[in-house]
Amino acid sequence: MTATTLDLIDRKIVSALMQDATQPIGRIADQVGLSQTPCWKRIQKLEAAGVLTGRVAIADPAKLGLGLTVFAGVEAPDHSPEWRAGFERALAAMPEVREVYRMAGIYDYLLQIIARDVGAFDEFYKRLTTVVKVKSCSSLFVLERLKATPGYPVDTVTR
């Protein structure tokens, strides 16, 4: 199932669930113009196809004692499959790393890291550079989050 195979009802279901995955099936069904059973079957189909990959609660990191967000640009010392596999293993074992992107441009990888404070980030950095060699790592510290949207802009109008 790809974006082009999702019909308008599927896209409306996905959009509704991204806004609030806790809402009852009946409410979603009403929003998309279906009865509950066909709506539930579509949700199951979207999950089986990997369009819907999970349902989570979104927490405020600052209220969990995680007040620092850092974006780190990493340059790889080489581009071998061995280095890449070691880097991926290292990041998978570090819960502070929230997102990782392989990039084109100045950095080879962009990491989003969340930490209690600068000291906790420094400990993370030391662990990372002990476990895997990096050519360089440039860190950008977030001062204020102006927007955080948990979902994606889904076309819920065009057929």
Side-chain angles (χ1 to χ4, degrees), residues 6-56:
L6 295 179
D7 67 14
L8 179 60
I9 292 173
D10 288 336
R11 293 193 311 269
K12 284 182 177 183
I13 289 170
V14 170
S15 180
L17 287 169
M18 284 190 300
Q19 290 174 29
D20 181 2
T22 66
Q23 60 185 310
I25 297 295
R27 185 179 305 148
I28 297 169
D30 288 344
Q31 290 175 32
V32 303
L34 293 175
S35 62
Q36 288 187 32
T37 301
C39 183
W40 175 241
K41 287 182 179 179
R42 280 186 181 242
I43 290 170
Q44 290 176 314
K45 183 177 149 191
L46 290 163
E47 288 174 337
V51 175
L52 298 173
T53 60
R55 300 177 204 184
V56 299

